[in-house]
Amino acid sequence: EGCAHLSIGSRMNYRSQLWKFGEAVIGPEHFPPHPLPLRRSPTNTPYSKAEVTELVAWSRGLTTAHMRRNAQALLAIGLGAGLSSQEVSRLVGNDVQEQDGLVLVEVIGEKARTVPVLRTWGAPVLELAKESGDRAFFRPERSRITRADIVAFINRCSGREESLFCIQRTRITWMVTHLAAGTHLAALHRASGVTAAQLSKYLAFVPALDDEIAFRQLSEPDQR
C-alpha cells in the first residue's frame, strides 16, 4: 500500500528485495506472512494491421511538414527495425546503409547490433537516413538528446492528453511480425537485442497455424 508514487513494477521489485533481506536478517519464523499480490502492469500489445494503416494515414495528415516528416520517421524505424526509444534517439542517418539490396541499421550503445529493415519499410527508412546524413535520424535539427524527446513530440502531434502511439508498441509489433513469419529465434535474438526467453512471451500474439500446416512443418523442418 506504500510508495504510491512509484510504478507497480518498481513497487514489486522493491518488495521482492525487502522480502529477501527481511528473511535473512530476522529469519523466516518471525517474518510476516506474504501480503496480497500486486497487480502487474498490463503487457503491451502489438499494433494490428488496421492500426498501423491508421497511424500511417494520421502521420501523413499532420499539420506541418516537420510533424509529418518526424512522425513518419518514428513509425518507419519502429515498425521496420524494432528499435527502442533510446536507440531511435541516438540514431543518425549515416548509421543506415544499403547493402546487397538490404537496408541495414547499425545500432550503437549497450546492445550494439546490425538490424535488417523489413522490406515494407526499407525505402522510407533509407530515404530519411540519406536526408539526415550525419545528423539525427529523428528530428535532425536537434542539438542535444534528452530522454523525453520522442514522447514529447508524439504528445504534441497527438493533440491530446494521451499519446496516439508509442515506440515500445512499434518494437513489439516488429518482433511479433518476425515471430509470425517464422524467423529463427537465434536470428531474431541478435537483431532485437532481446533474449529468446523474453521473445517467447510475444508468441501469445502470433496467430495459430492450422493443423495441416503445423504438422507439415513439424514433419519436414528442412523443407521450410
Side-chain angles (χ1 to χ4, degrees):
E1 293 177 358
C3 300
H5 64 289
L6 297 173
S7 69
I8 291 174
S10 294
R11 291 165 65 192
M12 291 180 68
N13 183 50
Y14 286 6
R15 192 175 71 179
S16 175
Q17 297 301 321
L18 287 169
W19 196 267
K20 291 177 183 177
F21 279 107
E23 287 184 324
V25 173
I26 64 175
E29 68 277 9
H30 299 298
F31 208 64
H34 283 268
L36 293 174
L38 287 172
R39 179 181 60 83
R40 287 186 176 273
S41 300
T43 302
N44 281 332
T45 59
Y47 288 114
S48 66
K49 290 183 179 179
E51 287 174 322
V52 170
T53 300
E54 289 177 3
L55 286 173
V56 171
W58 164 80
S59 69
R60 291 173 177 170
L62 289 169
T63 55
T64 69
H66 176 268
M67 285 183 171
R68 290 191 295 273
R69 187 267 179 207
N70 289 293
Q72 289 167 26
L74 290 178
L75 289 172
I77 201 68
L79 294 167
L83 270 59
S84 69
S85 181
Q86 187 177 49
E87 290 166 348
V88 173
S89 290
R90 293 177 176 175
L91 188 71
V92 299
N94 290 342
D95 290 334
V96 180
Q97 301 293 330
E98 187 175 22
Q99 181 179 318
D100 298 327
L102 300 175
V103 177
L104 304 177
V105 178
E106 293 296 330
V107 179
I108 63 173
E110 182 182 346
K111 298 179 179 179
R113 61 195 186 278
T114 302
V115 184
V117 180
L118 289 170
R119 290 192 183 279
T120 304
W121 300 98
V125 167
L126 188 61
E127 181 182 345
L128 290 163
K130 289 179 177 178
E131 175 190 299
S132 300
D134 60 359
R135 299 176 299 162
F137 179 84
F138 166 68
R139 290 187 58 213
E141 75 282 0
R142 282 182 298 158
S143 58
R144 64 190 181 94
I145 297 173
T146 67
R147 293 183 63 181
D149 280 340
I150 292 177
V151 173
F153 173 80
I154 296 174
N155 285 344
R156 194 160 60 248
C157 291
S158 300
R160 59 186 191 180
E161 190 174 318
E162 186 177 298
S163 295
L164 196 62
F165 77 97
C166 71
I167 291 299
Q168 177 63 8
R169 285 190 69 188
T170 62
R171 176 166 163 77
I172 292 171
T173 303
W174 173 82
M175 289 189 282
V176 171
T177 297
H178 276 291
L179 289 171
T183 301
H184 197 291
L185 277 179
L188 187 53
H189 154 59
R190 290 196 302 271
S192 66
V194 173
T195 66
Q198 291 172 316
L199 285 168
S200 64
K201 69 181 180 181
Y202 297 117
L203 288 171
F205 302 113
V206 176
L209 295 175
D210 63 47
D211 286 347
E212 182 180 350
I213 296 174
F215 291 163
R216 188 178 301 115
Q217 290 186 355
L218 289 166
S219 64
E220 300 177 337
D222 56 331
Q223 301 299 314
R224 293 170 59 187

